[in-house]
Amino acid sequence: MTTASPDYCLEQISFPDLPGWAEDDPRPLFAALHDCLIQITTIKPHRTGSLGLTSADLLPALEAAATVNPSSAEEARRFFQQQFQPFAIRRRDGKDGFVTAFYEPEVAVSDRPDATYRYPFYNRPPDLIDLHDGNRPPGLDPSYAFARLKDGVISAYADRRVIDEGHLEGQGLEIAWARSKVDVFFAHVQGAARLRYADGAMKRITYAAKAGHPFSAIGRLLLERGEIAPEAISMQAIRAWLADHPDEADQVYWHNRSYIFFKESELSDPDRGPIAAAKVPLVAGRSLAVDRLIHTFGFPFYIHAPKLTHLDDGQPFARLMLALDTGTAIVGPARGDIFTGWGDEAGALAGTVRHDASFYILIPKEAAPGFL
C-alpha cells in the first residue's frame, strides 16, 4: 500500500524488511522520546510538515515510551514494533536518499579580542526581525525568513561579506572571539559549538537566527572550480584548502552569503548534545536533521546506508534515529543529516559522510491507516 505525493510515496513494509533491524539497539532513543514528550505537552507541539503527521499522532507512543525502561536491545526493538508501523520512503525518480553528517565543534575562545583572538561569534542583532506573510516587503525573496528593520523600512540584512567587513562592530553583540575564521565559519555551518576558554571554562552557543540569505555550500564551489577532486571532498579537505590559500579564503567564505547568529547557554551536562530545532537535546549517533517542510520533529526514522561504514566499525550504517533538527541544505523527503556528537573525533566522523541511503519512517499504528 502507498500514499501519494508528487515527488515521493510511502510504501508499507514490515520490521523484518528493515535491513539490519534485528541487530540495532535503539535504547539511546528513550531519553530523547521523553524529552519530546515534555516539549510537546508542556511547551508547544512541533510544526506539522506537508506529510501530515502531527505531534498529536505521536503523543500516544511518547506516553507509552515514558512507562518503559528497556533493559535489552530486543526489548527496545519490541517497543517500536508494538507502537509503530514502518514505511519506506520511495522517491518518484527512483533515486536513493542521501545522508551527510554534522557535529558540535569545540572552539578555543577568549572573552576579549586581542592579536590572536580576532574573529567574533555574534548574538542576534536587535534590528534583525522575523519575516512572515504580514510584513514581508514586495520583491524580497520568499525564502528569506529574516530581514532588517530600520526607520520603519524592512530590507534584506547584511550578508557574510558585509558583516565580516565590520557591519556589527561597536554594538556589543560579541559573545566571544576565536583564533581562526575557519573555526567560526564551520560553527556557522554546524549551527552550534562548545566554547573553551583559557581558564578551562566551557560554554555552549546554539543557533538563534540567521541573516536571511540562502546557504551556498563552499565545498560545491571548490568542486566546480576543480580545487578539490570529487572523491576527496570532505570537511577536512575544505579546511585544509582554506588554510593553504589564505589570500583566496575570504572570497570563498563570502560565496556563502548566509550568516548565523547565536545565543549563549551554560554547558550544564557535557554528556548531552546541543538543543537544536526540535528544542530537545540531540543524541549522538541517533539524531537526524530532516526537511521540516515535509517531516515533523520527533518521529523515528530508520536509515540504511550500506556504503557508510566508518561510523560503525566497518559495518554498514543501519540505525533507528529521531528527527530532531533541520538545516538549509536538508531538502527532500529522503535527505538527512546525522549528528555524530561533539569534539574533534565527532568532526572527523562527520566530515566524510556523503552517502546514498534508504529512508524509512515509523508511523504510530493509530495514525498509520491514514497513510495506506
Side-chain angles (χ1 to χ4, degrees):
M1 303 292 288
T2 62
T3 186
S5 175
D7 302 317
Y8 66 96
C9 67
L10 299 187
E11 179 184 348
Q12 182 182 1
I13 62 170
S14 63
F15 278 94
D17 295 326
L18 297 175
W21 171 251
E23 290 73 46
D24 191 29
D25 184 354
R27 281 179 289 177
L29 293 180
F30 281 80
L33 291 171
H34 187 255
D35 291 335
C36 288
L37 175 63
I38 294 173
Q39 169 65 26
I40 70 174
T41 57
T42 65
I43 303 176
K44 67 176 182 179
H46 296 302
R47 187 175 80 178
T48 300
S50 62
L51 183 58
L53 291 167
T54 69
S55 291
D57 293 328
L58 188 60
L59 185 57
L62 295 180
E63 292 173 336
T67 68
V68 300
N69 182 23
S71 60
S72 66
E74 181 181 9
E75 185 180 351
R77 291 194 302 271
R78 187 162 56 248
F79 169 83
F80 286 98
Q81 291 166 188
Q82 292 169 345
Q83 295 290 328
F84 292 92
Q85 172 63 53
F87 289 80
I89 301 175
R90 308 292 191 196
R91 289 174 41 153
R92 297 288 190 188
D93 60 11
K95 295 181 179 179
D96 290 330
F98 190 70
V99 290
T100 48
F102 69 112
Y103 76 111
E104 185 183 27
E106 184 177 303
V107 182
V109 297
S110 172
D111 60 1
R112 64 193 65 189
D114 58 26
T116 300
Y117 293 90
R118 298 184 290 136
Y119 304 101
F121 293 103
Y122 284 116
N123 281 296
R124 177 175 178 158
D127 59 347
L128 182 71
I129 64 167
D130 291 33
L131 287 178
H132 49 76
D133 290 343
N135 68 357
R136 185 181 303 277
L140 191 61
D141 191 306
S143 69
Y144 280 51
F146 300 93
R148 188 185 194 194
L149 175 62
K150 183 179 181 182
D151 299 328
V153 177
I154 297 175
S155 60
Y157 207 81
D159 66 6
R160 179 173 297 279
R161 178 171 185 166
V162 175
I163 293 173
D164 278 354
E165 291 178 339
H167 177 74
L168 297 176
E169 289 181 3
Q171 299 187 41
L173 296 172
E174 295 87 354
I175 296 172
W177 287 261
R179 294 178 296 190
S180 165
K181 183 178 279 192
V182 71
D183 285 342
V184 173
F185 182 85
F186 276 98
H188 283 212
V189 174
Q190 305 303 321
R194 298 184 181 203
L195 305 184
R196 185 180 70 254
Y197 292 82
D199 63 0
M202 291 280 287
K203 293 187 177 180
R204 168 177 275 153
I205 52 174
T206 57
Y207 173 91
K210 60 183 291 187
H213 307 285
F215 175 87
S216 298
I218 65 171
R220 183 175 296 115
L221 173 68
L222 295 174
L223 282 173
E224 292 172 351
R225 287 170 38 174
E227 301 287 353
I228 301 176
E231 64 274 11
I233 193 69
S234 67
M235 182 180 66
Q236 291 85 345
I238 296 169
R239 292 183 70 110
W241 188 94
L242 292 167
D244 292 342
H245 299 80
D247 295 338
E248 302 173 63
D250 275 342
Q251 294 299 326
V252 172
Y253 291 131
W254 296 338
H255 171 74
N256 180 20
R257 298 179 67 206
S258 177
Y259 198 93
I260 304 300
F261 303 108
F262 296 96
K263 55 188 174 184
E264 189 177 12
S265 63
E266 296 298 324
L267 188 62
S268 56
D269 186 349
D271 293 327
R272 303 200 81 185
I275 294 176
K279 308 303 182 185
V280 301
L282 298 178
V283 181
R286 293 283 174 174
S287 298
L288 189 71
V290 297
D291 186 340
R292 70 178 305 179
L293 296 180
I294 299 173
H295 299 299
T296 302
F297 291 145
F299 278 80
F301 283 74
Y302 192 79
I303 306 299
H304 178 234
K307 293 185 179 180
L308 173 55
T309 58
H310 69 273
L311 298 187
D312 278 326
D313 297 323
Q315 298 300 310
F317 189 89
R319 197 178 297 180
L320 190 63
M321 312 186 75
L322 286 188
L324 296 179
D325 203 2
T326 192
T328 307
I330 310 304
V331 178
R335 176 72 174 91
D337 212 16
I338 299 167
F339 177 63
T340 59
W342 44 88
D344 292 343
E345 183 177 348
L349 292 174
T352 52
V353 177
R354 294 182 57 84
H355 291 78
D356 292 339
S358 297
F359 279 64
Y360 306 86
I361 186 169
L362 272 59
I363 298 178
K365 288 184 175 179
E366 292 183 15
F371 292 84
L372 297 178

